[in-house]
Amino acid sequence: MTTLRLGFARGGLEIKQFLRSRESVVFTLFFPLLLLVIFGSVFDAEIAPGVSFTQYFAAGIIAAGLLTTGFQSLAIQIPMEREKGILKRLRGTPMPRTAYFIGKVIMVLAIGAAETVVLVATAAAFYDLPVPSTAAKWVTFGWVSLLGISACTLCGIAFSSLARTGRGAPAIVTPVALVLQFISGVFFQYTSIPEWMRTIASLFPLKWITQGMRSVFLPDSFAAQEVGGGWQLGYVAIALGAWVIIGLALCVFTFRWTDRG
Amino acid sequence: MPIVNAVTEAITVRGLHKRYKGHVAVDGVDLDVHRGEVFALLGPNGAGKTTTVEILEGFRKRTSGEATVLGVDPHDADAAWRQRVGIVLQSTGEFDDLTVREVVHHFAQYYRNADDPDAVIERVGLADKRGARTRVLSGGQKRRLDVALGIIGRPELLFLDEPTTGFDPEARREFWGLIRQLAAGGTTILLTTHYLDEAETLADRVGVLVGGKLVAVDTPARLGNRGTDGATVGWRTPDGPRQEQTDTPTAVVARLAEQFGGEVPDLTVTRPSLEDVYLRMIGAGE
């Protein structure tokens, strides 16, 4: 009970800190929005009857937003906190360790929700992205977002143990996130990517999140254009669920509070 | 196996070793810190002060030896133990865009028996900075914030790792006042420092750590037999100043008084300073 209360207190503090840090607000919230505006304005060709690349890209960037908030920001922020001694300081208090992670999850959920709302609203208002029309699509949107951001968050926390210094973190995290976005159907249509790249992409969560998002925002007629000939929501759930478990295991076994033992 | 008396001893250490790849940081340290005392660990950089303290804080694993802190092996430090221990790390805390007040109030929530955050902010002298974002604080002010976070849980034992490094003399003096206040309130304090005046002013006892070994433990006044041997008596003769090294300064002064038939001109009796003793020790230890 105390753990949960302290977790929420940490979450509140993390959100406050996030909102006061202009760089992180701009990077996390407005960068995907900027991409949406640029791509939406430049590539507006039809890729299938009634489906423009802008719509395709909007679904992709909503998915990528979850990757940015969950994976990228944590995998960069946590090594910095480790380097600054913030983690060590927390370890020196009676704070239950879990409260730290609950705080991070709350922060990611709040930012992820805000970002998704901004992206969906912008895409719907300016780039003809249809807002989900059926309850079933809203449900899919809900579970794909939640499962997706959970997988990304856990992978972000796990990945944070790889960076040896805080300053080095962006250099090893950003390329991973960027490459995944290129091969997972965000910047390019997934079907236009060479098969070997698709094989790699399908090992990671982002490909499955983009696919799930397309099932929500693109017309069902587009399902036939997918590599698997359908939305494959079952596979989406299995792949993301598996990454939640893998991410959690990696977190538990690799998380480091200090630089050295 | 030493018998540990957790009632009178806050910290008991026997045969403490810490080996890193290729070098020994702590090499067989035995140490007792009594409840309610201020104990200063002195030593040059790299002598093993921080390693020793971080083992006692439960941050590092020791290679061998025994350690008991408040009756608990710090290696098994749990939340209940952390409730009773305050830590001021060597590195200054960074809380970026949060205000002093927010940080102290937040940390107060971790402790069952936390002190009043506003009173603690006042006590460390940050009252007029309570609404300031921590990134704009000066080095000394950040250090006071560290201390505020160290004492917010009303610890029985407070670790201070080089708390005043980078302070100007005035800030240091104010800080000493704060530490004395805490000590007067019954808090046991283990302090590391490389300022001898700091150790002399604050500590009930001083331990000198050189090359991972504790070479001396005593009160600042008696460290290295400062109080008993090697006094220097100085005075002025018509031919100029004279000095005499002696183990019996009183006898020398009596003799001089008789010789001069009263006041001895420019009489001084000096003992080696803590610094003299310390430099001799770290010279001998290396």
Side-chain angles (χ1 to χ4, degrees), chain B residues 228-240:
Chain B
T228 50
D229 54 44
T232 306
V233 179
W235 70 96
R236 182 159 51 81
T237 69
D239 307 328

Side-chain angles (χ1 to χ4, degrees), chain A:
Chain A
M1 219 42 237
T2 320
T3 305
L4 205 61
R5 184 177 56 79
L6 289 175
F8 274 93
R10 282 215 58 80
L13 198 77
E14 298 260 21
I15 291 169
K16 203 179 274 179
Q17 206 158 4
F18 170 81
L19 291 176
R20 286 186 193 164
S21 156
R22 204 171 303 142
E23 312 87 59
S24 49
V25 173
V26 170
F27 176 76
T28 314
L29 284 186
F30 294 105
F31 189 61
L33 192 62
L34 186 70
L35 287 179
L36 177 65
V37 171
I38 294 174
F39 274 72
S41 311
V42 177
F43 305 101
D44 54 358
E46 258 200 4
I47 53 173
V51 179
S52 68
F53 180 74
T54 312
Q55 290 168 319
Y56 189 96
F57 180 71
I61 202 74
I62 290 164
L66 301 181
L67 182 81
T68 316
T69 343
F71 173 77
Q72 207 167 350
S73 62
L74 286 187
I76 291 175
Q77 188 187 50
I78 295 173
M80 284 183 172
E81 291 188 349
R82 189 185 297 119
E83 184 171 88
K84 283 182 178 175
I86 292 173
L87 298 188
K88 187 176 185 181
R89 195 169 303 274
L90 290 173
R91 279 271 281 117
T93 74
M95 177 199 79
R97 294 183 196 194
T98 323
Y100 174 78
F101 298 107
I102 295 176
K104 288 287 183 217
V105 168
I106 290 172
M107 175 189 72
V108 165
L109 287 180
I111 299 169
E115 182 176 65
T116 305
V117 168
V118 168
L119 287 173
V120 172
T122 311
F126 300 106
Y127 302 104
D128 305 324
L129 187 76
V131 174
S133 51
T134 62
K137 289 211 168 189
W138 278 108
V139 170
T140 308
F141 183 44
W143 71 254
V144 170
S145 303
L146 266 181
L147 211 52
I149 203 160
S150 305
C152 291
T153 303
L154 291 165
C155 291
I157 295 172
F159 205 84
S160 75
S161 298
L162 280 184
R164 254 174 301 156
T165 63
R167 267 163 311 213
I172 67 167
V173 174
T174 314
V176 172
L178 207 57
V179 167
L180 281 181
Q181 292 180 47
F182 274 114
I183 66 174
S184 303
V186 178
F187 295 125
F188 305 118
Q189 247 182 290
Y190 189 63
T191 40
S192 69
I193 294 165
E195 197 179 341
W196 67 271
M197 278 192 199
R198 291 203 301 250
T199 309
I200 297 172
S202 59
L203 295 176
F204 295 97
L206 185 59
K207 181 256 176 188
W208 301 100
I209 308 176
T210 56
Q211 197 168 317
M213 288 299 175
R214 285 198 295 275
S215 85
V216 173
F217 292 104
L218 300 189
D220 279 328
S221 61
F222 192 78
Q225 305 279 325
E226 291 286 337
V227 172
W231 299 127
Q232 297 179 313
L233 289 179
Y235 285 138
V236 171
I238 290 170
L240 294 179
W243 269 105
V244 166
I245 294 165
I246 293 169
L248 190 64
L250 287 174
C251 286
V252 170
F253 292 116
T254 64
F255 195 81
R256 292 181 293 125
W257 292 85
T258 50
D259 280 336
R260 54 224 148 97

